[in-house]
Amino acid sequence: MAPVRRRQTRRRTLLGTLSGVVLAMAAVLTAPAASADIPGKDEIAKSDNMHHLANIPKPGPFSAVDAYGTDWAFKGKYAFAGNYNGFTVFDISRPAKPKIVSVVQCPGAQNDVSIAGDLLFLSTDRSMSDDSCQAVPKPATDKTAWEGIKIFDISDVRNPRYVKAVETKCGSHTNTLVPGKRGTAYIYVSSYSPNSTFPDCQPPHDLISIVKVPLKKPAEASVLSEPVLFPDGGNPGDGQPWPNGTSATSGCHDLTAYPDKDLMAGACMGDGVLFDIEDREKPRVVTSVRDDENFAFWHSATFNNKANKIVFTDELGGGSAATCNATIGQQKGANAIYDIVGKGDKAKLVFRSYYKIPRPNTDTENCVAHNGSLIPVKGKDIMVQAWYQGGISVWDFTDSRKPKEIGWFERGPFDDKNLILGGSWSAYYYNGYIYSSDIQKGLDVIDIRDKRTDKGKRVKLDILNAQSQPDYFD
C-alpha cells in the first residue's frame, strides 16, 4: 500500500494518499444511486464457483478501525497475518474452521510478514521511539527514532519470541525473503519517499537495504549493503496530481523474488524492473519499463510459473480512493501484463494488456489492484488477487493479450456514507484454498471449485511467502 508522508512521524504522503492513516477516512462522500450490480453494506456477492468457508474477525487488540489487517505468510498448517498493531497466528489445518493460536501485539505499520525456517520477519514502516514492541510513534526528524525489520522466533507458535531488530533507511514498507546458501537468508527491504529533514531517510534514496540473516544465529542479523538500483535517479515523475500523475522513483514499494529462476521483479514507484539475483548479495537491473500514461504508482509484481511473464499492479490513489468506476476507467488502477522477451541480459519487458475487475464499486469503496498469488495449474497462468473493497478476483492471463476473470468474491461497502479503508489487502492461494486478509473484517477462507483451477489443489507447500515465489512444477 502506498503511504502518507507523516508531518512529524514518517508516514509518507504520496499522490495525496496514505499508507498508515487514510487521508479520506473521515470524509463524508455522496454514495451513488443503488444498483442491482452493487451489493449493499456488508452484503456478500460472489460467482457460483467461489465458496465462502469461514470468516474470523480481527482479534480484540486489533479490532479498531485503524488497526489494518495487512499481509500473509504461511508455514505448514499455520497462517501468519500482519496487522498495523502486530500479527496473528492461525491454525488452518481445517480451512473451514480456522482457529486463532496466538496474537502478538507489536505496533509499527505495516507489519508485513515473511518466514524462513523458525523465523518471522516483520516490517516496521513508522518511525518509533525505539525498536521494542512497546514503542510509540516518534518524529522521523529525530535521529533517535527507529524503524526497520523485527525478527521473531516462531518455533513455538503459541509463544512467538522477539529476537532482534535491524534498522534500515526509510524503514521497511515491505520485505522480500530470498533464501541463500549455507543456512543464510537475505531480506530485501523496500522503502521510499525520503525527506531532507529525516536524518535516516535522506534523498535521493535510490536504493534497497539487504539484511543478511544467519538462520541459526538470527541475533547476528545486520544490514549487509544498500545497493543503488537507480544511479540515474529513476523516473522523475511528471509533477501532476492524482489521478493523472506519475510517481517519481525514490526507492521501491515491493520486490518479488523467484529464487529458483534467479530473478526478481521490482515495483518501484515510477518504474517496473526485472532483476538478476544470481548473486544474492548483488541484485542487478536487467531491464525496466515505464507507463507514464496509465500507471501512477508501480506497487507490486507477480511472475507466472514459467517466469516469462510479469503482472505489475498500479496502486492508483494509494489504496485509499474509489477508482473502480466508469470515471477512472479500465486502464488506470489496473494490472499490466508484460511478456519477458529474450534471455539473460538481453531480456526485455514487452507490454501486452491491462486487466481490471469488471464490476462497478460505489464512491465509498476504496478499490484498486493489490496483492495476489498464482493458483498452481500446470500449463495455465491463473492468479487470485485482492482489490480492497473491490473484493477478490480469480483471473486467467494465459493469453497475455486477453486476460479474463473466472471467479470473484466481494462485500458491499464497509460504510455506505463514508470512505473508510477496508476490503481485501492480500488474497493468496495456499494448499488448495484462498486466504484473504480483510483490512476490517479479518480472515476469510474461500474454496474455488472450478475445473479450470481444481488441479491446483494437488500442489502442497511447506512454506509460502508470496513475495518469494516457488517453482510449483520443477
Side-chain angles (χ1 to χ4, degrees):
M1 186 173 192
V4 170
R5 170 76 66 193
R6 292 164 249 194
R7 293 180 184 174
Q8 293 297 322
T9 59
R10 192 177 52 76
R11 187 176 301 152
R12 309 166 185 81
T13 303
L14 179 62
L15 304 175
T17 63
L18 68 110
S19 168
V21 179
V22 181
L23 289 178
M25 187 165 155
V28 177
L29 303 178
T30 302
S35 166
D37 296 326
I38 300 176
K41 183 178 182 296
D42 281 342
E43 180 185 351
I44 290 177
K46 61 184 183 64
S47 57
D48 291 340
N49 58 357
M50 299 283 273
H51 298 265
H52 190 209
L53 302 185
N55 171 260
I56 303 294
K58 294 187 297 184
F62 303 160
S63 60
V65 171
D66 61 354
Y68 306 138
T70 60
D71 211 6
W72 286 112
F74 301 87
K75 180 184 178 183
K77 66 177 184 178
Y78 298 106
F80 300 79
N83 183 284
Y84 269 50
N85 283 350
F87 65 92
T88 303
V89 183
F90 294 93
D91 182 334
I92 55 171
S93 55
R94 300 174 66 188
K97 294 184 178 181
K99 297 179 180 179
I100 293 176
V101 175
S102 57
V103 177
V104 176
Q105 297 185 61
C106 196
Q110 299 188 144
N111 282 340
D112 281 8
V113 290
S114 292
I115 290 173
D118 287 330
L119 301 177
L120 179 143
F121 304 93
L122 194 71
S123 286
T124 299
D125 190 38
R126 175 181 292 160
S127 53
M128 306 295 285
S129 56
D130 55 55
D131 62 7
S132 75
C133 285
Q134 292 73 46
V136 296
K138 190 172 189 176
T141 53
D142 189 328
K143 177 64 178 173
T144 65
W146 182 93
E147 53 188 325
I149 290 286
K150 298 187 180 89
I151 304 173
F152 289 81
D153 183 326
I154 53 169
S155 55
D156 181 355
V157 293
R158 297 188 179 279
N159 295 286
R161 181 174 58 86
Y162 187 11
V163 175
K164 168 81 173 184
V166 180
E167 187 170 17
T168 56
K169 287 182 178 177
C170 297
S172 173
H173 192 66
T174 59
N175 74 79
T176 301
L177 187 139
V178 184
K181 298 178 180 179
R182 295 181 292 276
T184 299
Y186 297 93
I187 306 299
Y188 291 178
V189 176
S190 296
S191 57
Y192 56 96
S193 290
N195 188 294
S196 60
T197 67
F198 300 157
D200 298 320
C201 187
Q202 290 286 300
H205 194 68
D206 295 320
L207 55 82
I208 62 170
S209 297
I210 300 179
V211 177
K212 187 174 183 178
V213 184
L215 295 178
K216 292 185 177 180
K217 297 181 179 180
E220 296 180 6
S222 62
V223 174
L224 171 72
S225 63
E226 295 165 341
V228 173
L229 305 180
F230 305 99
D232 64 350
N235 193 332
D238 59 10
Q240 298 298 312
W242 178 89
N244 298 313
T246 297
S247 174
T249 297
S250 60
C252 291
H253 179 278
D254 216 333
L255 300 166
T256 297
Y258 198 156
D260 288 351
K261 306 290 187 183
D262 289 331
L263 295 174
M264 184 167 69
C268 299
M269 304 178 71
D271 293 271
V273 188
L274 177 66
F275 296 90
D276 181 309
I277 57 168
E278 183 177 7
D279 185 340
R280 301 292 196 251
E281 298 187 358
K282 296 178 180 179
R284 185 171 55 84
V285 174
V286 175
T287 189
S288 62
V289 290
R290 295 174 183 172
D291 181 352
D292 292 343
E293 181 178 357
N294 286 313
F295 258 46
F297 186 86
W298 296 73
H299 173 275
S300 54
T302 303
F303 289 97
N304 68 334
N305 197 69
K306 290 183 178 180
N308 58 12
K309 301 175 187 175
I310 301 176
V311 175
F312 289 104
T313 69
D314 173 22
E315 196 185 43
L316 176 67
S320 65
T323 74
C324 297
N325 53 44
T327 301
I328 299 298
Q330 290 299 107
Q331 294 186 341
K332 294 180 183 292
N335 297 321
I337 304 163
Y338 285 80
D339 284 353
I340 301 174
V341 178
K343 300 292 184 180
D345 287 349
K346 294 182 179 180
K348 300 295 182 184
L349 293 169
V350 179
F351 172 78
R352 296 304 188 201
S353 64
Y354 296 106
Y355 171 77
K356 191 172 182 179
I357 57 171
R359 290 169 303 287
N361 273 223
T362 71
D363 289 340
T364 65
E365 292 178 281
N366 57 297
C367 175
V368 75
H370 215 237
N371 296 341
S373 73
L374 295 182
I375 295 180
V377 179
K378 195 168 187 177
K380 297 290 184 180
D381 298 324
I382 300 174
M383 71 179 290
V384 59
Q385 186 177 10
W387 288 78
Y388 289 117
Q389 291 198 63
I392 299 164
S393 178
V394 178
W395 60 289
D396 186 323
F397 60 103
T398 306
D399 184 340
S400 302
R401 294 176 173 84
K402 295 181 180 179
K404 59 184 179 181
E405 185 170 68
I406 62 177
W408 58 277
F409 171 95
E410 71 163 316
R411 290 184 173 89
F414 180 71
D415 190 301
D416 53 11
K417 293 184 174 62
N418 305 315
L419 197 161
I420 297 176
L421 186 68
S424 181
W425 179 293
S426 297
Y428 298 146
Y429 190 89
Y430 177 68
N431 291 352
Y433 298 89
I434 295 167
Y435 295 88
S436 169
S437 175
D438 189 289
I439 294 166
Q440 301 295 352
K441 297 293 185 178
L443 162 67
D444 285 305
V445 184
I446 295 166
D447 182 10
I448 180 169
R449 302 169 191 167
D450 189 294
K451 63 182 181 180
R452 293 165 290 188
T453 60
D454 284 347
K455 290 182 180 179
K457 296 179 181 294
R458 303 173 186 172
V459 178
K460 303 297 181 182
L461 299 176
D462 295 323
I463 285 182
L464 176 64
N465 300 300
Q467 287 74 36
S468 186
Q469 288 188 221
D471 186 342
Y472 286 105
F473 306 113
D474 185 16

